[in-house]
Amino acid sequence: MIAVAMVVVLGAIMSILDVTVVNVALKHLSQDFDAPIATIQWVATGYTLALATVIPVTGWASARFGTKRLYMLSIALFVLGSALAGMAWDDKSLIAFRVLQGLGGGMIMPAGMTILTQAAGPQRVGQVMSIVGIPMLLGPIAGPILGGWLVDDVSWRWIFYINVPIGALALVLSARILKKDAPRAAERLDVLGLLLLSPGLACLIYGLATGAEKQDFGRPNVLVTTVLGAVLVIGFAVHALRKGNRNPLIDLRLFRRRSVAAASGTLALFACAFFGAMLVLPLYYQTVRGESAFTSGLLLAPQGFGAMLTMPVGGKLTDRIGAGKVVLVGLALVVLGVAGFATQITADSSYWALGGALFVMGLGMGMTMMPTMSAAMATLQHDEVPRASTALNIIQQVAGSIGTAFIAVLLATELSNRGLGSSASSEAPAPGSIPPNVLAQVMDKMADAFQSTYWWSLVLLAFAFVPALLLPRRKTATPASEDSVPVMMH
């Protein structure tokens, strides 16, 4: 079991780390390729859209070709895209290779979750989810630090090349350690569902990302894309729930179970609030406090340290007493941490106080996200795991995108209301060009805007308590098909 977990974490941390590493390099890429930020932003957006397009097909592909084969294929695509991105000769080639990366990266996490869940069995699903959560913690911590160092002291190309040896090692270990699982040849692809859901998610995320970037969701192209995405996703839901559809791309009937529905609602609201809130803090450090990307990454580290303490404990407690009790405590800690930012952020806040609030947020995160996923997965039978894993990853991806867009617009609005303009969120005033007394006033207004934005995050996070109250608060009974769960290790 430990060997299987090591293989899955190695692949997952590579894909998650890549997102945060690349975000740090966008400014340098814009300068090197002499391209506007609006164009270079597609290096990140193209990857996200590729993720959204390929995630829905993961559940079917796992059943049709076997999870081990799919996992190795996804890592191979990601490594190939990474190597080509490192050799990119202009902005268009880089964007194209990032899309190739995303096609592989989108399948790594749901396939890895499926492998671990089926290997461990229902009685240890909490511990399994805590293992899967490790890369989710390390990505936001190590990404900005590693990306800042590579871009400043080595070369931006190495933010992609670094994936090649890691991916090669993951492929070798996967071939040796993961046991081959037999695919189900009768599994048919829900073509109509794929044509509805994949473009729908891509349009929805693109519309939200573009609207947040332009700070205008009423623009015709943004509005049409977002509405089209929503209509396609709703169309998929209607299609998937038809009585005659016995093999939908994602089985939405799983959400009729209280534990799955409650976990999905909790995860959606938590991801929306949490990932949106985490967008704000690096901007505060860089714009109000004038810190570099590398230093900002270091200042975010307390969150990861807090989560590392509680995630293993949270996983074990979930298996023993049920996810409901663990998640409620975790949410309370996250609320406490966000409240710290909502009350303490000023132009000269103590870094120790902010680090303490981050540490508390990390403690809460370690007891929230993965135990919530455990609540959904623990009641599933073996054949239901791949599609449930896919659905949860889609929910997290879309909710995170919505939260990021929502908080970005709120921050821009708060800055605009204080006469600072939307550009204040991305570029701090040059200290030498503004008189000290005026600069101090500007920084105070900016800090006040960040503080107000955190109050909105706090309100959004509080809504997550509603579905969390419906999560099981006792040890989950073993599904009848537990005996059929294969142990995928040597």
Side-chain angles (χ1 to χ4, degrees), residues 37-373:
I37 286 292
T39 299
I40 288 297
Q41 185 65 35
W42 276 95
V43 172
T45 305
Y47 181 86
T48 304
L49 293 181
L51 288 182
T53 302
V54 77
I55 286 177
V57 80
T58 307
W60 167 81
S62 294
R64 180 64 181 82
F65 302 108
T67 311
K68 176 181 177 177
R69 290 180 183 175
L70 180 66
Y71 185 67
M72 294 183 67
L73 173 63
S74 62
I75 291 177
L77 281 175
F78 186 84
V79 170
L80 177 61
S82 298
L84 292 173
M87 295 184 285
W89 52 90
D90 60 17
D91 53 335
K92 295 180 180 62
S93 63
L94 179 59
I95 292 168
F97 296 144
R98 281 286 286 166
V99 170
L100 179 60
Q101 258 193 309
L103 293 177
M107 295 185 288
I108 289 177
M109 198 65 183
M113 285 176 60
T114 299
I115 289 171
L116 269 180
T117 302
Q118 292 179 340
Q123 294 304 306
R124 291 190 293 173
V125 73
Q127 295 180 56
V128 164
M129 290 296 106
S130 67
I131 293 171
V132 175
I134 292 174
M136 292 185 179
L137 300 177
L138 294 180
I141 301 169
I145 299 173
L146 179 62
W149 174 68
L150 288 173
V151 169
D152 292 340
D153 299 331
V154 186
S155 167
W156 65 262
R157 296 184 184 277
W158 275 95
I159 65 177
F160 301 112
Y161 286 148
I162 197 172
N163 293 324
V164 176
I166 298 175
L169 178 61
L171 281 174
V172 171
L173 293 178
S174 297
R176 292 177 59 88
I177 294 174
L178 299 182
K179 184 177 179 180
K180 183 178 179 180
D181 51 336
R184 298 199 301 273
E187 190 78 12
R188 296 179 60 185
L189 176 62
D190 179 11
V191 177
L192 179 57
L194 181 62
L195 293 176
L196 288 170
L197 187 57
S198 288
L201 289 174
C203 288
L204 188 60
I205 291 176
Y206 172 78
L208 292 170
T210 306
E213 179 188 348
K214 305 297 183 183
Q215 287 135 26
D216 183 7
F217 286 91
R219 294 167 68 111
N221 62 326
V222 172
L223 190 60
V224 169
T225 306
T226 306
V227 171
L228 176 61
V231 169
L232 289 173
V233 171
I234 293 172
F236 168 78
V238 174
H239 163 73
L241 292 173
R242 283 191 303 111
K243 289 184 178 180
N245 191 350
R246 298 182 178 180
N247 197 32
L249 190 66
I250 295 177
D251 191 359
L252 298 183
R253 297 179 183 89
L254 293 174
F255 293 96
R256 293 174 180 172
R257 301 183 189 181
R258 172 174 163 172
S259 60
V260 177
S264 300
T266 304
L267 180 64
L269 290 168
F270 175 78
C272 188
F274 186 83
F275 289 115
M278 289 311 298
L279 167 76
V280 176
L281 196 57
L283 288 175
Y284 163 79
Y285 282 136
Q286 294 180 45
T287 58
V288 179
R289 307 303 289 269
E291 302 292 353
S292 66
F294 178 76
T295 303
S296 298
L298 290 175
L299 290 170
L300 295 175
Q303 175 195 311
F305 294 141
M308 285 179 185
L309 291 177
T310 55
M311 187 164 282
V313 177
K316 292 180 180 179
L317 288 176
T318 297
D319 292 336
R320 292 179 182 176
I321 64 175
K325 298 175 182 178
V326 178
V327 171
L328 288 175
V329 173
L331 279 176
L333 288 171
V334 175
V335 166
L336 188 61
V338 174
F341 291 118
T343 57
Q344 293 185 54
I345 281 189
T346 64
D348 56 356
S349 299
S350 165
Y351 282 168
W352 286 103
L354 297 180
L358 261 180
F359 182 74
V360 173
M361 280 181 66
L363 292 174
M365 182 185 176
M367 300 178 69
T368 302
M369 183 174 290
M370 304 320 293
T372 299
M373 289 189 175

